[in-house]
């Protein structure tokens, strides 16, 4: 199963619509207290350990600001 | 900015002018995903009229003609006539395509010109402040129909089918995966493709027609109300329940207009070469 290493939200363009929070099946996002450059409250990926890198938040973000970086698989036979 | 945006958007025009939670941004991304999968960005040429959805194409780093209100389809026809090798795509809204540009839609579909019309339907004139549109549902209260809309709504897909379009589909922003597939089919289709996308407009449609300005509520409304039904004989039943039929309705091959023009020119030249000059 894939895990996420990092979820990046571009603070220059985020409009805080929270569709990522709504669409996420793993309950990764919560409304945060930091404001984007456009003065909207941004979501925070606070439960990143739940993320399964399904890409739904990326494809449903209306401002294309979300990027999910998957963890690279460990080589087991080393 | 996600990798798709980094690759294909015009950075100098960002951020998008769309309101928070607008479906138009999702359509930008879905279209760019389809273009990226096909690798046809250099062949594209876009046209757009006026309205929120006409801005979809402006953010992509592609040649675009932004023209008068309702005249995106004639501009696309001209573009296709002079540059037949380009894949011409028109981004238009429900007001642009069904109201002021309705006549152009009919005749472009009738002639089966090789182009794709992406009609984004948010059921209202959103950019100008929420006036009634031809696609507004009967009974809706808008800025210009404060006692409820008494006019029947116009169904773009039925018009395109009746006018002779050779590819007709309708999806919503809650159906992004099938929408990307339909974009790919439309870009490869030889003939007139009409794709209608039901899109959420939390600020106008949401607040005045549906009762909530929350983007989440509006997307859920689309999920609940758009039902996959590709058989036109069952549309009346679906619509009587207040639902919207979505799906890939038609995809057939028919002679394309620009090819027919070239064939006619060739035939006339040959006839004149034989001495039949009149």
């Amino acid at each position: 199963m894939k895990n996420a290493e990092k979820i990046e939200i571009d603070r220059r363009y985020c409009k805080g619509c929270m569709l990522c929070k709504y669409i996420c099946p793993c309950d990764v996002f919560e409304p945060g207290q930091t404001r984007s450059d456009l003065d909207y409250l941004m979501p925070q990926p606070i439960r990143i350990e739940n993320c399964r890198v399904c890409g739904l938040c990326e494809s449903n973000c209306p401002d294309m600001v979300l990027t999910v970086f998957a963890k690279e698989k460990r080589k087991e036979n080393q | 900015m996600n990798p798709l945006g980094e690759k294909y958007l015009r950075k100098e025009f960002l951020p998008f002018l769309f309101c928070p939670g607008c479906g138009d941004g999702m359509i930008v991304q879905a279209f760019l995903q389809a273009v990226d999968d096909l690798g046809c960005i250099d062949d594209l040429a876009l046209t757009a009229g006026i309205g929120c959805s006409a801005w979809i194409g402006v953010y992509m780093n592609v040649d675009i003609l932004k023209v008068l209100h309702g005249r995106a389809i004639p501009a696309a026809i001209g573009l296709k006539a002079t540059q037949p090798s380009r894949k011409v795509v028109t981004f238009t809204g429900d007001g642009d395509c069904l109201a002021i540009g309705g006549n152009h839609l009919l005749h472009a579909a009738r002639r089966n010109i090789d182009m794709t019309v992406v009609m984004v339907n948010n059921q209202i004139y959103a950019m100008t402040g929420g006036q009634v549109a031809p696609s507004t549902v009967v009974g809706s209260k808008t800025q210009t129909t404060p006692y409820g809309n008494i006019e029947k709504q116009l169904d773009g897909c039925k018009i395109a089918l009746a006018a002779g379009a050779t590819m007709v589909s309708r999806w919503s922003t809650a159906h992004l995966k099938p929408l990307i597939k339909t974009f790919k089919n439309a870009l490869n289709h030889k003939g007139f493709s009409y794709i209608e996308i039901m899109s959420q407009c939390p600020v106008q449609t949401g607040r005045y027609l549906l009762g909530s300005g929350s983007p989440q509520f509006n997307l859920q409304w689309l999920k609940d109300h758009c039902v996959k039904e590709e058989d036109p004989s069952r549309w009346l039943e679906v619509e009587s329940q207040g639902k919207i039929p979505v799906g890939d309705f038609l995809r057939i091959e028919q002679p394309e207009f620009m090819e027919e023009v070239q064939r006619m020119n060739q035939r006339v030249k040959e006839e004149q070469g034989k001495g039949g000059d009149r």
Side-chain angles (χ1 to χ4, degrees), chain A residues 8-10 12-13 15-19 21-23 38 40 58-67, chain B residues 1-3 5 9 14-16 18 20-22 25-26 28-29 32 173 176 200 215-216 219-220 223:
Chain A
E8 204 174 82
I9 302 173
D10 193 334
R12 289 173 299 171
Y13 309 127
K15 294 190 190 129
C17 67
M18 296 294 158
L19 278 182
K21 176 179 167 6
Y22 161 77
I23 214 85
L38 302 170
Y40 292 100
E58 263 187 16
S59 60
N60 277 274
C61 177
D63 293 289
M64 299 177 71
V65 296
L66 262 162
T67 319
Chain B
M1 185 58 49
N2 74 20
L9 290 185
L14 294 175
F16 291 151
F18 312 131
C22 176
M26 292 155 83
V28 173
Q29 192 166 349
L32 287 179
T173 44
L176 290 178
Q200 78 269 23
Q216 293 92 323
L219 197 57
Q220 186 62 46
K223 239 180 222 180

Side-chain angles (χ1 to χ4, degrees), chain A residues 11-77:
Chain A
R11 59 170 298 147
R12 289 173 299 171
Y13 309 127
C14 180
K15 294 190 190 129
C17 67
M18 296 294 158
L19 278 182
C20 45
K21 176 179 167 6
Y22 161 77
I23 214 85
C24 179
C26 301
D27 202 19
V28 169
F29 297 92
E30 280 299 324
Q33 290 303 313
T34 44
R35 286 186 181 270
S36 67
D37 291 357
L38 302 170
D39 210 21
Y40 292 100
L41 285 172
M42 285 166 52
Q44 292 281 314
I46 58 164
R47 285 180 287 271
I48 195 165
E49 66 279 3
N50 290 357
C51 180
R52 295 289 172 260
V53 203
C54 65
L56 271 176
C57 55
E58 263 187 16
S59 60
N60 277 274
C61 177
D63 293 289
M64 299 177 71
V65 296
L66 262 162
T67 319
V68 182
F69 295 92
K71 259 184 201 167
E72 281 182 22
K73 280 182 186 169
R74 285 178 200 156
K75 287 173 188 169
E76 287 172 1
N77 300 329

Side-chain angles (χ1 to χ4, degrees), chain B residues 34-278:
Chain B
V35 169
D36 189 51
D37 290 351
L38 293 177
C40 64
I41 189 85
D42 295 331
D43 302 336
L44 278 182
L46 311 179
T47 68
I50 300 295
C52 304
S53 39
W55 283 91
I56 290 174
V58 174
Y59 294 104
M60 301 175 199
N61 205 358
V62 180
D63 295 338
I64 180 166
L65 277 171
K66 189 97 165 55
V67 296
L68 289 175
H69 193 15
R71 313 296 174 232
I73 294 175
I77 295 171
L79 192 54
K80 186 71 193 173
T82 50
Q83 301 273 327
S85 61
R86 302 297 280 272
K87 289 179 190 294
V88 179
V89 183
T90 298
F91 285 99
T92 173
D94 47 346
D96 205 35
C97 186
L98 297 182
I100 189 166
N103 190 21
H104 302 306
L105 172 68
L106 291 180
H107 293 284
R110 177 173 72 88
R111 291 172 183 142
N112 195 27
I113 293 162
D114 183 18
M115 58 181 282
T116 305
V117 173
V118 180
M119 197 276 260
V120 182
N121 184 353
N122 56 8
Q123 307 181 22
I124 208 163
Y125 285 128
M127 187 172 264
T128 48
Q131 292 84 3
V132 69
S135 51
T136 308
V137 184
V138 182
S140 309
K141 287 184 180 175
T142 68
Q143 299 290 345
T144 43
T145 54
Y147 306 112
N149 177 25
I150 52 171
E151 299 165 2
K152 263 209 234 165
Q153 74 193 86
L154 207 52
D155 188 325
C157 284
K158 285 181 191 163
I159 291 175
L161 283 171
T166 48
M167 180 174 164
V168 181
S169 298
R170 185 197 280 130
W171 292 107
S172 81
T173 44
H175 301 82
L176 290 178
K177 278 210 165 165
L179 177 63
I180 293 170
K181 203 175 157 197
T182 301
F183 276 144
K184 285 189 215 169
N185 288 340
L187 287 168
N188 285 330
H189 180 70
K190 195 86 187 149
F192 188 84
S193 321
Y194 176 85
I195 305 171
E196 181 171 333
I197 307 167
M198 302 301 296
S199 168
Q200 78 269 23
C201 171
V203 175
Q204 304 293 355
T205 316
R207 274 196 304 183
Y208 298 117
L209 266 60
L210 310 179
S212 169
S214 137
Q216 293 92 323
F217 174 87
N218 282 272
L219 197 57
Q220 186 62 46
W221 188 91
L222 284 177
K223 239 180 222 180
D224 296 341
H225 286 75
C226 293
V227 185
K228 192 173 179 197
E229 182 53 74
E230 293 179 341
D231 179 8
S233 64
R234 291 176 51 85
W235 283 357
L236 269 180
E237 190 187 328
V238 172
E239 284 162 359
S240 67
Q241 295 163 358
K243 304 275 167 94
I244 303 159
V246 298
D248 291 320
F249 302 138
L250 181 74
R251 195 174 165 209
I252 51 170
E253 295 288 330
Q254 273 185 358
E256 196 267 327
F257 181 76
M258 294 304 165
E259 283 180 356
E260 289 296 298
V261 169
Q262 281 173 358
R263 208 168 292 145
M264 182 183 72
N265 286 347
Q266 190 68 33
R267 195 185 70 226
V268 172
K269 267 181 199 164
E270 281 172 12
E271 280 173 9
Q272 285 178 348
K274 283 176 194 167
D277 198 356
R278 277 177 282 174

